[in-house]
C-alpha cells in the first residue's frame, strides 16, 4: 500500500465528528464593526443621515425596525451592548454558522423594535442592539442545551451573569431619565426590547426546529463504496 493510500484509509477510519471542519466566527466581528461604524458616523462625524435609521414611533419607516438595532444613543449604550454581543454572538455563530448569526440578530432585533413600537409612547425613539443581544443570549442557551455537564455548567454561568446584569440595569433605571432627540424621547433602558428579544429568540429556535432537515450523507461510506466498485 502506498503512502497516499494509507493516508486516505486513515481519513476514512476517523469519526465523522473529528473530520468536520470548525465553523469560522467572523460574522460577529462584522456586526460589531457595523455598530461601531454607524456610531462613529453618527456621533463623531455628525452625519445627519444616520438619524434617519433610528426608529421613530410616531411614523416609522419599514427599514427602521432593522436599522435601529445597529444604532446607539451614546458610548455607554454601545459599549455594554458590544460586550454581550461578542459573547453571545460568538456562541451562536460557533453553533449555527455565519448565516444563523445574522438571521438571529436581525430577526430578534427587528422583532424587539416592533414590540417596543407597539407598546411605548408615540414620541419615543428606539435605538440599540439590546433586543438582538438578548435574543442571541436566549438562542445561545437553547442551542447548547444537552445532558453534557460541561454545557450545562456553561449555560448556568452565562445565565446567572446576564440575569444579574439585567437586575442591576432595572435598579439603576429608577434614577435615569430619557434623553431627547428633536423632541423625541430616547429611553435609557428599554426592558420591553430585552424581554421581547429573548422571547423571539426562543420562538426562532422553536420555529427552525420544526423545519424538517435531511440527515447528512455519510461521506466516508460513499467513498468506500466508490473504492469497492473501482477495485
Amino acid at each position: 500500500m502506498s503512502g497516499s493510500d494509507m493516508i486516505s484509509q486513515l481519513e476514512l477510519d476517523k469519526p465523522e465528528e473529528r473530520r468536520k471542519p470548525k465553523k469560522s466566527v467572523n460574522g460577529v466581528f462584522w456586526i460589531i464593526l457595523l455598530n461601531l461604524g454607524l456610531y462613529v458616523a453618527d456621533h463623531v462625524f455628525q452625519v445627519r443621515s444616520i438619524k434617519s435609521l433610528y426608529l421613530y414611533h410616531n411614523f416609522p419607516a419599514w427599514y427602521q425596525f432593522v436599522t435601529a438595532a445597529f444604532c446607539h444613543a451614546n458610548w455607554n449604550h454601545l459599549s455594554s451592548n458590544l460586550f454581550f454581543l461578542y459573547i453571545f454572538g460568538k456562541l451562536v455563530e460557533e453553533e449555527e454558522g455565519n448565516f444563523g448569526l445574522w438571521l438571529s440578530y436581525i430577526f430578534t432585533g427587528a422583532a424587539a423594535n416592533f414590540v417596543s413600537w407597539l407598546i411605548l409612547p408615540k414620541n419615543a425613539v428606539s435605538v440599540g442592539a439590546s433586543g438582538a443581544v438578548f435574543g442571541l443570549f436566549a438562542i445561545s442557551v437553547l442551542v447548547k442545551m444537552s445532558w453534557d455537564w460541561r454545557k450545562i455548567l456553561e449555560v448556568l454561568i452565562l445565565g446567572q451573569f446576564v440575569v444579574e446584569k439585567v437586575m442591576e440595569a432595572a435598579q439603576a433605571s429608577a434614577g435615569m431619565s430619557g434623553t431627547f432627540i428633536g423632541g423625541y424621547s430616547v429611553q435609557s433602558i428599554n426592558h420591553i426590547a430585552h424581554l421581547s428579544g429573548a422571547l423571539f429568540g426562543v420562538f426562532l429556535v422553536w420555529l427552525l426546529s420544526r423545519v424538517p432537515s435531511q440527515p447528512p450523507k455519510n461521506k466516508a461510506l460513499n467513498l468506500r463504496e466508490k473504492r469497492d466498485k473501482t477495485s
Side-chain angles (χ1 to χ4, degrees):
M1 185 180 291
S2 65
S4 60
D5 291 336
M6 292 179 64
I7 294 175
S8 300
Q9 186 63 38
L10 288 173
E11 288 294 326
L12 290 174
D13 292 337
K14 287 183 179 180
E16 187 69 20
E17 292 79 6
R18 290 185 180 181
R19 292 186 287 107
K20 186 184 297 183
K22 293 184 178 180
K23 295 179 180 178
S24 61
V25 288
N26 295 323
V28 65
F29 295 105
W30 285 110
I31 295 178
I32 289 174
L33 285 176
L34 182 56
N35 279 271
L36 282 171
L38 288 176
Y39 177 84
V40 171
D42 187 10
H43 298 277
V44 177
F45 294 104
Q46 302 290 320
V47 179
R48 293 185 178 181
S49 59
I50 302 298
K51 292 290 190 295
S52 65
L53 303 179
Y54 291 10
L55 176 59
Y56 296 91
H57 288 216
N58 63 339
F59 191 71
W62 65 267
Y63 59 85
Q64 291 175 350
F65 291 98
V66 175
T67 57
F70 295 90
C71 302
H72 292 81
N74 52 60
W75 176 252
N76 290 334
H77 188 203
L78 173 66
S79 61
S80 61
N81 277 338
L82 291 187
F83 176 75
F84 291 112
L85 172 59
Y86 172 75
I87 295 175
F88 303 127
K90 188 176 181 181
L91 290 174
V92 171
E93 189 171 11
E94 287 175 348
E95 296 292 332
E96 304 300 326
N98 185 280
F99 176 78
L101 170 65
W102 281 94
L103 174 64
S104 301
Y105 186 94
I106 293 174
F107 177 81
T108 56
N113 285 330
F114 180 76
V115 175
S116 298
W117 172 68
L118 291 176
I119 297 177
L120 293 179
K122 294 304 179 183
N123 68 330
V125 178
S126 291
V127 291
S130 300
V133 166
F134 272 74
L136 292 175
F137 163 66
I139 294 171
S140 66
V141 169
L142 292 176
V143 297
K144 283 185 171 292
M145 288 295 289
S146 70
W147 292 112
D148 187 341
W149 67 270
R150 291 164 295 187
K151 290 190 175 182
I152 293 175
L153 182 61
E154 184 177 8
V155 167
L156 291 176
I157 293 174
L158 290 175
Q160 66 87 23
F161 181 71
V162 172
V163 170
E164 179 183 355
K165 292 302 179 183
V166 172
M167 294 302 296
E168 290 179 0
Q171 293 174 359
S173 64
M176 298 179 68
S177 59
T179 57
F180 290 86
I181 298 178
Y184 294 92
S185 173
V186 181
Q187 299 299 318
S188 300
I189 300 178
N190 187 352
H191 296 294
I192 296 173
H194 296 169
L195 179 60
S196 56
L199 291 177
F200 276 100
V202 174
F203 172 74
L204 180 61
V205 173
W206 174 84
L207 185 64
L208 294 179
S209 67
R210 309 297 295 179
V211 178
S213 59
Q214 296 180 352
K217 295 182 179 179
N218 192 327
K219 295 181 180 179
L221 181 60
N222 292 339
L223 289 174
R224 284 177 178 174
E225 291 177 353
K226 290 181 180 179
R227 176 169 294 182
D228 292 340
K229 292 179 179 179
T230 55
S231 62

